[in-house]
Amino acid sequence: MRDDIVVFLGPTLSEPQARTYLDAIYFPPVGCADVVRAVAKHAPAAIVLIDGVFGELPAVRHQEILWAMARGVRVYGAASIGALRAAELAPQGMIGHGLIYRWYRRHPLADDADVTVPMAPAALGSRALGDALIDIRLMLRKAERIGIIQRRLRCELESLARALHFSERSFPKLLAAAENNHRPAGELQALKAWLKIGAANQKRTDAVNLLTYLARQNISSPHKPIQLEFELTESFANDVEYYNMLGTVLSKGT
C-alpha cells in the first residue's frame, strides 16, 4: 500500500473501486481541518482531494491546504471540490488534474454547486444520491451532438437542471420535471433510452485518471516546500495545535 499518499474520496468513486487504481490511505470526503489532521497523523508526501463536504458542515479551507504545501506536501485535486480548490490555488502550487479542473480554471466565477451532489453519510460509504450539474450538462451536450435531442430541448433541460437545488438534482428528477413542463415527449423518451446505455460520469473519469497517474509516480522523494506568506489566524492555529496534539496521542496508541 502507498502509505505516502492520503486520498479524500466519497460519492465520485467508492473506496474499493479507487483501490483498484491506487492502493493508498483513504478517508471520507474532506472537511474543515481534515487536511491538518492528515498531515499531523500520517505525514504524507501527497494529499489528494477529490470529494468534500458542503452545506451543513464547513468545507476544507484554502488556508489549511496552503499550510500543508508550505510543509512540503504535494496537494492534488480533481473531479469535485478537489478540482475547485486546485483551480483556485493553482497559482500557489496546488496541482489540478482533469477536464473539470481545467473548466474551473477557465471559468473562475463558475458556481461551486456545479460539482456538488447529495451523498449518504460516511458510515454508509458517502455514495452519491444524485447527479452533478456539470455531468448533466456534459451528457446533454453529447446527446445533442449525436442527434438524440435538439438544441432547444438541450437548453431547456440545462435551465431546468440549474433551477433544481443540488440536493434534488438528478437525471430522473430532471426528466420528470421536463415531462411536467410538456417538453417534446419523443425526444425525452429517446434521451431516457440513451442514458441507460450511453451515460458517462466526467467526475469519475477525472478521479480515476488522477489515481492512475499517481500510481505510476514516485512522490516519496523530498519535495521543496513552496514559499508562501499567509496569516496564521487564531482559529487556524488552534486547529493546527489540536491536530498535532491528536497525532501525538494517537501515535502512543491511546
Side-chain angles (χ1 to χ4, degrees), residues 94 148 150 161 168 190 202:
M94 187 172 173
I148 304 296
Q150 300 300 311
E168 298 292 325
Q202 189 62 48

Side-chain angles (χ1 to χ4, degrees), residues 103-212:
W103 182 76
Y104 270 116
R105 284 286 285 164
R106 290 195 299 268
H107 302 89
L109 299 181
D111 196 332
D112 295 7
D114 286 2
V115 292
T116 308
V117 297
M119 60 184 175
L124 299 178
S126 302
R127 63 184 180 87
L129 301 176
D131 296 295
L133 181 60
I134 195 162
D135 280 327
I136 290 174
R137 292 181 62 196
L138 287 170
M139 290 308 302
L140 291 176
R141 287 168 186 257
K142 182 178 179 181
E144 178 194 359
R145 189 168 62 250
I146 64 177
I148 304 296
I149 58 175
Q150 300 300 311
R151 184 177 187 276
R152 179 177 179 179
L153 180 58
R154 189 265 295 172
C155 293
E156 290 174 344
L157 289 174
E158 283 190 2
S159 295
L160 282 172
R162 187 169 289 281
L164 293 171
H165 188 267
F166 82 84
S167 63
E168 298 292 325
R169 192 178 288 142
S170 68
F171 267 115
K173 290 183 178 180
L174 170 62
L175 295 176
E179 290 173 342
N180 291 336
N181 283 275
H182 307 292
R183 298 307 190 264
E187 284 185 65
L188 287 175
Q189 290 304 315
L191 179 60
K192 282 184 181 180
W194 176 73
L195 285 171
K196 292 179 180 179
I197 59 172
N201 186 315
Q202 189 62 48
K203 289 177 64 175
R204 184 184 189 281
T205 297
D206 285 0
V208 167
N209 287 343
L210 176 54
L211 297 177
T212 302

Side-chain angles (χ1 to χ4, degrees), residues 50 57 109 117 131 184 203 215 218 246 249:
I50 294 176
L57 297 173
L109 299 181
V117 297
D131 296 295
K203 289 177 64 175
N218 175 20
L246 179 63
V249 171

Side-chain angles (χ1 to χ4, degrees), residues 2 18 60 66 86 111 119 154 209 212 226 228-229:
R2 294 290 299 271
V60 60
L66 294 173
D111 196 332
M119 60 184 175
R154 189 265 295 172
N209 287 343
T212 302
I226 59 174
L228 293 171
E229 293 184 5

Side-chain angles (χ1 to χ4, degrees), residues 56-114:
E56 293 183 1
L57 297 173
V60 60
R61 290 182 291 177
H62 302 77
Q63 196 172 32
E64 61 186 292
I65 297 172
L66 294 173
W67 174 83
M69 292 192 296
R71 292 172 67 94
V73 180
R74 295 175 176 89
V75 183
Y76 296 83
S80 192
I81 198 171
L84 177 62
R85 289 291 184 265
E88 294 164 338
L89 295 177
Q92 287 74 36
M94 187 172 173
I95 306 163
H97 196 97
L99 185 150
I100 296 172
Y101 159 72
R102 295 192 297 273
W103 182 76
Y104 270 116
R105 284 286 285 164
R106 290 195 299 268
H107 302 89
L109 299 181
D111 196 332
D112 295 7
D114 286 2

